[in-house]
Amino acid sequence: LWWFISPTDWFILVPAIFHDYLYRNKELPRKISDKLFLAKMKDFKGGFIRRTKAYQAVRRIGWLAWNK
């Protein structure tokens, strides 16, 4: 999805770092970590479609990083 959502877009950069931290430390369940990622993208003014696509991507393939 990087052609649609650049990792340097402000609305995703900070939320993604936060999300990566949650995944690495597993302080919360994965589903809650993903929901917080979605909420943070909204806080950073990410458009509905782009933040929804990013959220759907982590829900679909995030288990790969979670189980690493």
Side-chain angles (χ1 to χ4, degrees), residues 10-66:
W10 183 250
F11 88 92
I12 198 169
L13 181 62
V14 175
I17 292 168
F18 174 69
H19 185 255
D20 289 353
Y21 171 84
L22 294 175
Y23 263 45
R24 180 172 298 244
N25 293 297
K26 296 183 180 170
E27 295 175 6
L28 299 170
R30 181 176 161 242
K31 188 171 187 175
I32 292 173
S33 297
D34 293 347
K35 286 284 190 181
L36 287 171
F37 175 57
L38 179 62
K40 289 294 174 195
M41 287 188 292
K42 185 175 183 181
D43 291 346
F44 278 81
K45 309 297 185 217
F48 177 79
I49 292 171
R50 292 172 73 192
R51 73 176 183 257
T52 300
K53 292 295 181 187
Y55 172 74
Q56 288 172 344
V58 298
R59 287 306 302 155
R60 287 190 179 123
I61 62 171
W63 62 271
L64 292 169
W66 183 262

